Amino acid sequence: MSKPGSLFSLPQASIPISWETDVLVIGGGASGIAAAISAARNGAKTLLIEQRGFLGGMGTVALVPAFCPFTDKKKPIIRGIGMEIMERMKRACTEEYIREYEHMLDWVPIDPEVLKRVCEDAALEQGVELLYHTFVSETVLSEDKRRVEGVVIVNKSGRSFVRCRAIIDATGDADMAAMSGVPFQKGGDAGELQPGSMCYLLANVDRKRFTTFLEESGDTGQLHGTVERAIAEGALPEGRKSISGLAWVSDYLVGVNFGHIFGVDGTKAEDLTRGAIEGRRLAERQLRFFRSYVPGFERAHMVVSGEQLGIRETRRIQGDYILTADDFMEARTFSDDIARNAYYIDMHMATSKGNMRFTHLPPGESHGVPYRVLLPVSIDNMWVPGRAASSDRSVQGSLRVMPNCFAMGQASGTAAAMALEINAGSRDVSIAGLQAKLVEQGAWLGES
């Protein structure tokens, strides 16, 4: 028997060309959805490949229960396609949901089944072609290694080649960039990574009873005191001392983001497997905690847990510019801004004994996100929007959330379509032209 890690040579083979497209988007999360819609909206033939059978990314795959803020606490700064998707989801929910959340822009609860349909409809309406249940096994580069000519895909139909003129790596893990030889960083100086979380939906809960408990006990909405007591009594393991979030889809249905699974590298299948197993076990323990400690949850029923662990951090590409903590703290503006960000730096501890770190900008302030952070060094026809964009580790703790991913995705798809119009690369796009088109199509790049 061969030892794991030893090599095996595959025979050479010719494979069919299954698709030819202008813009190829890999990954159907927030950045991929916005990239595909914007590329198609701007005239490019667009194919989006997703490994699951639906779109939505962490909001549907991992059941992250709410959208992070779209505002700087004074005004909406993430607009465009991201705002369109969230508002469409609201309108497709129940009347009760619409009444409560119609005017909310921050921490809006996600109904995952509605979000799946809304994202799909929005993409199809623009002419985006979708290919589900498909993995990319390798990228194929041009002779000079500067361009991606296509990718090899694997699915139930077999192994085939997809040819493209431009590629958008919206995997969140920079998988396509890494396959193409783009340098990247991962985690902290010692390789530590923010933990993952297993999110889930609880039904048969009583929101009014829970609210009364909070009022009478004086505990916070994150149940800080109750969680600390449960940890001290052994009902919950050591770790975060409060619940990340309860997002009420209705008075009897709530999405839960609670607790951490440590030591999981989201770029390794073995770690994702262990994380899924440990995550479901922790979720079951948390369910017992809710039933025993939290009034209104006595008869709670777990409807579904995430298909995979929610991942906060893996690779960060080396781009033409690396966004830094100083850029964040100084609320800097760049000449090539394609988005604004005001979400706080949200760094979760790497071990159960660590501390969480939060850094906020003052209300009404935001910093620019320059186009250059989307451009991986050494590749001329690739964009990398989302949590793998080029930044230092601290800023990644802010950029990684869904509203920002929508904004970076919209910029990437628009730029890709513009580059193809002039038969040029990502660095040849007119920045002024790109910014004008983004604003015309609903994005916000600052008051000026």
Side-chain angles (χ1 to χ4, degrees):
M1 294 290 290
S2 299
K3 293 181 180 179
S6 57
L7 300 178
F8 177 81
S9 295
L10 291 172
Q12 282 191 329
S14 296
I15 59 175
I17 298 172
S18 54
W19 298 78
E20 295 195 43
T21 192
D22 291 335
V23 177
L24 175 62
V25 180
I26 310 296
S31 60
I33 294 161
I37 290 172
S38 59
R41 184 176 287 175
N42 285 283
K45 181 181 180 183
T46 304
L47 171 65
L48 190 160
I49 292 178
E50 164 58 40
Q51 61 180 307
R52 272 93 182 180
F54 50 86
L55 304 176
M58 291 292 100
T60 54
V61 174
L63 298 182
V64 172
F67 288 110
C68 283
F70 279 70
T71 79
D72 61 8
K73 297 183 180 177
K74 288 191 173 182
K75 61 185 174 298
I77 63 170
I78 306 295
R79 304 179 191 177
I81 290 172
M83 185 76 76
E84 291 174 25
I85 294 292
M86 184 173 71
E87 293 300 331
R88 284 184 66 151
M89 186 202 74
K90 287 183 189 178
R91 294 194 299 272
C93 288
T94 64
E95 291 183 7
E96 171 195 8
Y97 180 101
I98 294 171
R99 279 195 302 272
E100 180 164 4
Y101 301 116
E102 181 177 8
H103 302 295
M104 277 184 61
L105 297 176
D106 296 347
W107 306 112
V108 173
I110 292 173
D111 186 323
E113 290 304 315
V114 174
L115 185 59
K116 288 177 186 177
R117 296 194 303 272
V118 161
C119 291
E120 201 166 69
D121 288 346
L124 293 173
E125 286 167 9
Q126 297 298 327
V128 176
E129 296 182 284
L130 300 175
L131 183 61
Y132 292 153
H133 305 293
T134 298
F135 281 87
V136 175
S137 62
E138 61 184 293
T139 58
V140 177
L141 301 180
S142 59
E143 190 173 336
D144 62 2
K145 309 297 183 186
R146 296 289 310 185
R147 299 179 64 83
V148 176
E149 295 190 338
V151 300
V152 177
I153 61 171
V154 180
N155 55 27
K156 284 285 188 179
S157 303
R159 187 165 170 251
S160 63
F161 181 70
V162 177
R163 179 176 283 129
C164 65
R165 297 173 63 198
I167 183 167
I168 297 175
D169 181 347
T171 61
D173 300 309
D175 289 336
M176 302 304 106
M179 287 179 188
S180 303
V182 174
F184 60 85
Q185 292 77 43
K186 188 195 294 184
D189 293 338
E192 71 276 15
L193 292 162
Q194 294 183 65
S197 292
M198 179 59 76
C199 300
Y200 46 88
L201 277 170
L202 296 180
N204 204 29
V205 291
D206 186 336
R207 186 181 185 181
K208 292 180 181 177
R209 179 165 162 73
F210 172 69
T211 302
T212 300
F213 160 69
L214 294 182
E215 293 170 350
E216 293 177 350
S217 68
D219 205 349
T220 66
Q222 293 184 311
L223 295 173
H224 185 83
T226 306
V227 170
E228 281 201 325
R229 178 164 67 89
I231 291 173
E233 294 174 358
L236 288 173
E238 283 289 336
R240 187 170 186 182
K241 302 296 194 295
S242 61
I243 295 173
S244 298
L246 295 175
W248 294 89
V249 180
S250 72
D251 286 346
Y252 60 85
L253 182 67
V254 64
V256 183
N257 180 357
F258 181 18
H260 295 129
I261 304 296
F262 299 100
V264 172
D265 183 340
T267 68
K268 297 180 178 179
E270 297 83 358
D271 280 18
L272 288 172
T273 301
R274 174 177 61 82
I277 294 168
E278 291 183 13
R280 282 188 285 269
R281 288 174 176 166
L282 178 59
E284 195 274 334
R285 188 172 178 181
Q286 291 169 353
L287 176 60
R288 294 200 305 270
F289 153 77
F290 276 113
R291 289 171 173 168
S292 300
Y293 283 78
V294 185
F297 286 75
E298 294 89 347
R299 299 178 64 242
H301 173 74
M302 188 177 298
V303 180
V304 63
S305 58
E307 183 179 326
Q308 75 155 64
L309 207 62
I311 298 297
R312 294 182 173 89
E313 175 185 29
T314 56
R315 302 184 184 103
R316 308 185 309 278
I317 64 159
Q318 183 177 330
D320 286 1
Y321 183 78
I322 299 174
L323 199 65
T324 68
D326 283 346
D327 296 330
F328 178 96
M329 297 303 297
E330 297 297 325
R332 287 188 178 128
T333 293
F334 301 88
S335 62
D336 60 336
D337 278 344
I338 46 79
R340 305 291 299 181
N341 170 45
Y343 185 69
Y344 57 87
I345 290 176
D346 180 10
M347 294 286 290
H348 292 238
M349 64 274 206
T351 71
S352 62
K353 302 295 185 182
N355 294 311
M356 294 186 64
R357 179 160 61 87
F358 306 105
T359 305
H360 295 257
L361 289 174
E365 289 196 12
S366 61
H367 70 83
V369 180
Y371 178 64
R372 289 163 290 162
V373 305
L374 308 175
L375 308 182
V377 296
S378 76
I379 302 292
D380 295 328
N381 68 334
M382 177 185 286
W383 291 257
V384 184
R387 62 178 165 86
S390 181
S391 71
D392 67 18
R393 189 171 185 238
S394 292
V395 174
Q396 193 273 347
S398 170
L399 276 185
R400 62 182 170 82
V401 296
M402 284 184 275
N404 291 330
C405 292
F406 279 124
M408 288 184 279
Q410 180 170 354
S412 297
T414 303
M418 290 176 65
L420 295 183
E421 282 181 359
I422 58 174
N423 197 29
S426 58
R427 293 166 178 84
D428 301 311
V429 171
S430 163
I431 297 301
L434 172 60
Q435 291 168 329
K437 188 158 288 193
L438 289 172
V439 171
E440 177 188 332
Q441 296 180 359
W444 186 78
L445 303 182
E447 297 298 348
S448 60

